[in-house]
Amino acid sequence: MILLHSNPWFAERWEALTPDQRARFGVDHIALTRELTGSGELIASEGLADPSLARWVSTADGSPVVADGPFAELKEHLAGFYLIDVESAERAEEIGARVPDAVWGLVEVRPILDMTGWDV
């Protein structure tokens, strides 16, 4: 999975971009999504809504409790993802490097936990 992170500094950087640079950012995401769809490597890709719209769910006391999120001290948040099916970690890293957000160091490539062998 390729995770796209954001933080308060991203908003500052975004505001400093020209309209053409902002448009290019979106176009590059769309182009990468289309390429991965065409190669059969893309399973899903989505951007996530602002964290102010998040809800925290807990069943710690045995019944569901839902509260507004995020926690006040949260500075970084998950902004989107690409779920991919590739042959190697190197290929996933290659794709991660092409995600426009990588220019700001906001891209994480993480393997999906394989639970197929678990006996549950």
Side-chain angles (χ1 to χ4, degrees), residues 19-43:
D20 287 342
Q21 288 171 318
R22 289 182 195 173
R24 182 84 244 157
F25 195 85
V27 166
D28 288 348
H29 268 290
I30 292 168
L32 181 58
T33 299
R34 286 182 179 155
E35 179 184 325
L36 296 173
T37 299
S39 69
E41 295 172 304
L42 184 68
I43 296 171

Side-chain angles (χ1 to χ4, degrees), residues 51-59 63-74 76-77:
S52 65
L53 301 173
R55 305 283 283 163
W56 290 97
V57 179
S58 172
T59 57
S63 61
V65 175
V66 180
D68 291 338
F71 292 120
E73 64 270 11
L74 182 69
E76 294 191 1
H77 62 272

Side-chain angles (χ1 to χ4, degrees), residues 1-6 45-54 77-82:
M1 177 168 278
I2 298 172
L3 302 168
L4 312 180
H5 296 274
S6 190
S45 175
E46 295 293 340
L48 300 176
D50 190 90
S52 65
L53 301 173
H77 62 272
L78 189 60
F81 68 91
Y82 287 85

